[in-house]
Amino acid sequence: MAKKNKLRIIPLGGLGEVGKNMMAYEYGNDVIVVDAGIMFPTNDMLGVDYIIPDYEYLKKKANRVLGLFITHGHEDHIGAIQHFIEDIPVPVYATPLTRGLIEAKLHRNGAQHKAQLKTIHAGETTRVGPFTLEYFHVNHSIPDCVGMGITTPAGLVVHMSDFKFDQTPVDGWPTDFAKLAEFANRGVDLLLSDSTNAERPGWTPSEAVIQPAFEKVFAEAKGRVIVATFASLISRVQQVADAAAKHGRKLAFAGPSMVDNVKIARKMKYLDIADDLIVSIEQAQQMQNHKVAIMCTGSQGEPSSIVGRLSAGTNRQFDLKDGDTIVLSSHPIPGNEETISKTINRLLRRGAKVIHDGIMPIHVSGHAAQEEQKLLINIVRPKHFMPIHGELRQLMRHAEHAQQLGVAPENTIVVENGQVVELVGKRVLRAERIPGDYIFVTGESIGDIDHDVMRERSQLARNGIMLIDISVDKRNGRVLHKPEIITRGFVSPEDAEALIPEVRNVVMRMIHEDGFESERDIISAVKSYLHQQTKRRPMVFVTLSKA
Amino acid sequence: MAKKNKLRIIPLGGLGEVGKNMMAYEYGNDVIVVDAGIMFPTNDMLGVDYIIPDYEYLKKKANRVLGLFITHGHEDHIGAIQHFIEDIPVPVYATPLTRGLIEAKLHRNGAQHKAQLKTIHAGETTRVGPFTLEYFHVNHSIPDCVGMGITTPAGLVVHMSDFKFDQTPVDGWPTDFAKLAEFANRGVDLLLSDSTNAERPGWTPSEAVIQPAFEKVFAEAKGRVIVATFASLISRVQQVADAAAKHGRKLAFAGPSMVDNVKIARKMKYLDIADDLIVSIEQAQQMQNHKVAIMCTGSQGEPSSIVGRLSAGTNRQFDLKDGDTIVLSSHPIPGNEETISKTINRLLRRGAKVIHDGIMPIHVSGHAAQEEQKLLINIVRPKHFMPIHGELRQLMRHAEHAQQLGVAPENTIVVENGQVVELVGKRVLRAERIPGDYIFVTGESIGDIDHDVMRERSQLARNGIMLIDISVDKRNGRVLHKPEIITRGFVSPEDAEALIPEVRNVVMRMIHEDGFESERDIISAVKSYLHQQTKRRPMVFVTLSKA
């Protein structure tokens, strides 16, 4: 019986935001998966391009997985699809724009033929195995985003996507409050809701509030206006296009993902931009500066992005010009603050005017703040509440708020990724914890870097290395020639010059006078000498050959 | 003539905040220096403990330097004194509390005998060579902080320290507005002012506004209250002590710098805490939890700090107990956001309640916001204005505001460290740029890590290393035994196991079939093989011996 009436809810992905990048629902023998996204590495994850959730648990049940259901087209929800469907080839369900963005991404990575994509729409219902999924429209910083009501014999779960309650969204399509109320009337056993802004009081402003700031920038700029934002922020593109049209500027797009996404969104009518407003970057270069606006990526200041390259003077397609105004239309993602600040300083040093969200309201969050989160709970009136899409600090805050609204503390469940939760007999319980962590992706390799490799990298990076090559005469054990010693990332060449002869002496003394059992003894003598001299501990390697 | 009536103003310290850590004033042959502080490394400065300004320019004029004048006792203003006076042994002028903090710091580093310290007080005047320094009290997040009016035959310069205008400071001693007005009446040729919060609108709240939040925390906490803040935030110590006294808790201090600073500040009457309020950590451990408050360092979540260790369960002196409330009474220093967030999550995971400034107003900035910065300019009415203590983005913002208040654009001068500014003939001009950068300090070594070493570290960290040891028979050039290959920070051991035999084949083929000129050829063959296989570029080292 237990198994029959039990829905297992499984957030995956290491210590990242809970259930953000991937969430599995398991009923009996059947599984559905919501979202397959990537995380970006923190500053201490050296040399990692991105991270995908560890879905080893699902691989073992690959033939029981009935589908992958995508809430919206952001990288942290679609970025791992390519990897997922290689391991678990199931249909991928997505709304039209989300599907378009997935196709473009797969195409850029040469994997377009691998996915079996199915289009869904807000308001529709899909039945797979014991699951009934009802999609409903929610606002977020990308159009065509859906939440899902998931019904099984165990009860009704409402899985909110990333969301905000925007009463005046750029595309004129507000969140489907009626559907949420309908769920409430049916009785919601468990609500899972976006905790990103659980520490932010009040309401997140509507996208509409930033239009006046853009108007002001476009009205006052004497030269070109270059607006950087996320390639997926389709509504921002509409706002910039509207401001450009109003102020007699043509608009060019730069950056492959930005160009792709605009093409898809225009084709699918999610963007309303007249053909004659758009010019190519090459055409824009030939026009008068005050007639030009450019939209590009790189608002997080990444050195390899267009804005990063503009700040360094290394962008190939176009460079800064006198009088340029750069608008960074985003908010720093936590951990990016330093990089963004450096980029802003570099742009200023190169003579650009820089507008960021500390100067003017040219960005708003795509996530519900506290009062919206509370409103959702009051509309849905769930029996149980599970905060997702946040780190522990946000989840616990969100849970506190739910309790203030009357959800019983014992019906509020805060877990981290890997902790299985069960909805059984109309109660929500903590089940086992499944193994699972981050999978690091670098270059073309997936998962061949683990935490041990990362620790070695951190050690290499903190102190550098010293390599010592020694040849000894096999007949008498005497050193044949001066040991060769090189260092990297340890001390400057001048200091190395002073230090290396001393290290040679340590090595020679060990071999000729003190004696040694193995390379280990030499390494440890050198290490202790270096620590005594420099208070640092580089990795030391010795190669010893006898001739 | 030019040299006689010329004051040279020289901000030192690489791309850090302008003039924050060190500023030199040069008139004729004579030099005075204001502050000698350290900077903390950004996340990309691998393995660096801290940074000091490059004062090579001053070393060459060491016998002309008349004194080092300290504005206040924060690390970024006093932390490099120890290094500075070794190179340039001059008297160090500081107010009583600042002097006490300097002495304690020198003592901790065994350098107390090296400094010739002189006590100054707000309201006093010091004459050295052509310089007349008039100290005036300003508010900041540490008591006994002074700004300086610096008069030479070239004119009057007002050098603000870090400051805020707190009308109800914890120590009851507001900024000396009368002195600022007196300078204004005399005519200020140049004002240098703190730009830290130039992007923050409005007024920085008084320290007094956080008292109610502390009262609430102390009233509601069922267990111990552990407050973490900067060791130098003396006024915060007073506020916590007051709250503890009011709510019947004893107070213990943890962390050597916190213990030292409290001892000094109490002895000098900058702190008013009754003897019987204070207990040792050991005594506190024996008391009932709700009778205990602890103040400690580590509010920035540094892994090696007390809070960092509490979050990891590795603090020796005391550990978390059930019901503990941890108050992080500071705001993340830019770049520390990730670390702090991880620490908060760990503390929550270990069962502590965590209060940070996103939850309750338990911290206020020590720096003037926009309206205070403007008020200062309106009080001082300087002829010229030079924003300091900020990165370019803050300086330019501050300069814009000064111009809005009527300072002529041509009288506003924005420079970065190393750019010499001259006050000559009552005009402020840009002079030459002197070389100067960061000096990295690691362990006991100063300056032996440069940007090249840092680049090597970053390369080691991104991709790891591979070492290949080859012995060939000198008679026939055949490889004597299987080349030994080890990797660090490159791939996991399992992947290395698969990759290494292939690399051996590449090496053997090169030696036995293709032939090679030097180790370089082997390295480049291996590198290109590894890149083809893994899309990564580890550093490859080859040692080749012939026997």
Side-chain angles (χ1 to χ4, degrees), chain A residues 15 41-48 199 201 334-338 340-342 344-346 348-349 352-353 356 358-360 370 391-394 396-397 400 416 442-445 447-450 452-454 456-458 460-465 467-469 471 474 484 486-495 519 532-536 539 541 543-547, chain B residues 15 41-48 199 201 334-338 340-342 344-346 348-349 352-353 356 358-359 370 391-394 396-397 400 416 442-445 447-450 452-454 456-458 460-465 467-469 471 474 480 484 486-495 519 532-536 539 541 543-547:
Chain A
L15 290 175
T42 55
N43 285 308
D44 56 352
M45 295 178 185
L46 302 163
V48 173
E199 293 181 357
N336 289 359
E337 296 84 353
E338 267 181 11
I340 293 178
S341 223
K342 275 186 196 170
I344 291 175
N345 289 329
R346 285 196 187 114
L348 292 169
R349 212 170 279 135
K353 185 171 173 182
H356 52 82
I359 294 188
M360 264 190 194
Q370 289 174 358
E391 299 174 15
L392 202 49
R393 56 187 286 185
Q394 285 97 22
M396 291 178 83
R397 213 55 202 295
E400 272 171 40
E416 293 195 88
T442 310
E444 291 201 345
S445 57
D448 61 349
I449 303 171
D450 55 15
D452 290 334
V453 174
M454 209 63 76
E456 288 177 353
R457 288 185 175 182
S458 153
L460 289 168
R462 271 200 314 273
N463 292 308
I465 57 173
L467 311 181
I468 306 174
D469 184 31
S471 297
K474 61 181 161 194
E484 275 188 66
I486 59 174
T487 72
R488 290 288 186 279
F490 174 42
V491 289
S492 66
E494 305 86 65
D495 290 295
E519 282 96 330
Q532 177 204 320
Q533 291 295 311
T534 66
K535 292 278 174 291
R536 273 180 271 156
M539 277 192 177
F541 301 91
T543 54
L544 182 71
S545 53
K546 294 179 182 175
Chain B
L15 290 176
T42 53
N43 286 309
D44 56 353
M45 295 179 185
L46 302 162
V48 173
E199 293 181 356
N336 288 359
E337 295 85 354
E338 267 181 12
I340 294 178
S341 224
K342 275 187 196 170
I344 290 174
N345 289 329
R346 285 195 187 116
L348 292 169
R349 214 169 277 136
K353 185 171 174 181
H356 53 81
I359 294 189
Q370 290 174 357
E391 298 173 16
L392 202 47
R393 58 188 283 185
Q394 285 97 21
M396 290 179 82
R397 211 58 202 290
E400 270 171 39
E416 293 195 88
T442 310
E444 291 199 347
S445 57
D448 60 350
I449 303 172
D450 55 15
D452 289 335
V453 174
M454 209 64 75
E456 287 177 354
R457 287 185 176 182
S458 151
L460 288 169
R462 271 201 313 273
N463 292 308
I465 57 173
L467 311 180
I468 306 174
D469 185 31
S471 298
K474 60 183 161 193
L480 276 171
E484 276 187 63
I486 58 174
T487 71
R488 290 287 185 281
F490 173 43
V491 289
S492 66
E494 306 85 68
D495 290 294
E519 282 96 332
Q532 177 205 320
Q533 291 296 311
T534 66
K535 290 280 173 289
R536 273 180 269 157
M539 278 192 176
F541 301 91
T543 54
L544 182 72
S545 53
K546 295 179 182 176

Side-chain angles (χ1 to χ4, degrees), chain B residues 75-130:
Chain B
E75 281 298 308
D76 50 351
H77 296 259
I78 68 169
I81 291 178
Q82 183 189 344
H83 305 297
F84 186 85
I85 57 177
E86 281 210 0
D87 294 315
I88 306 176
V90 293
V92 180
Y93 297 79
T95 57
L97 178 66
T98 306
R99 178 184 174 146
L101 296 172
I102 295 170
E103 282 171 337
K105 189 177 164 65
L106 293 174
H107 194 84
R108 277 198 299 274
N109 295 318
Q112 64 276 26
H113 53 283
K114 289 181 185 156
Q116 184 195 344
L117 295 171
K118 290 179 183 262
T119 303
I120 56 172
H121 297 89
E124 290 179 354
T125 299
T126 301
R127 288 187 185 82
V128 286

Side-chain angles (χ1 to χ4, degrees), chain A residues 177-215:
Chain A
F177 296 100
K179 187 73 188 181
L180 291 169
E182 185 202 317
F183 289 137
N185 287 338
R186 273 194 248 161
V188 173
D189 294 293
L190 173 63
L191 169 66
L192 293 86
S193 172
D194 176 6
S195 311
T196 310
N197 280 345
E199 293 181 357
R200 200 177 293 188
W203 289 74
T204 298
S206 167
E207 297 284 330
V209 306
I210 67 177
Q211 198 65 30
F214 275 105
E215 300 280 343

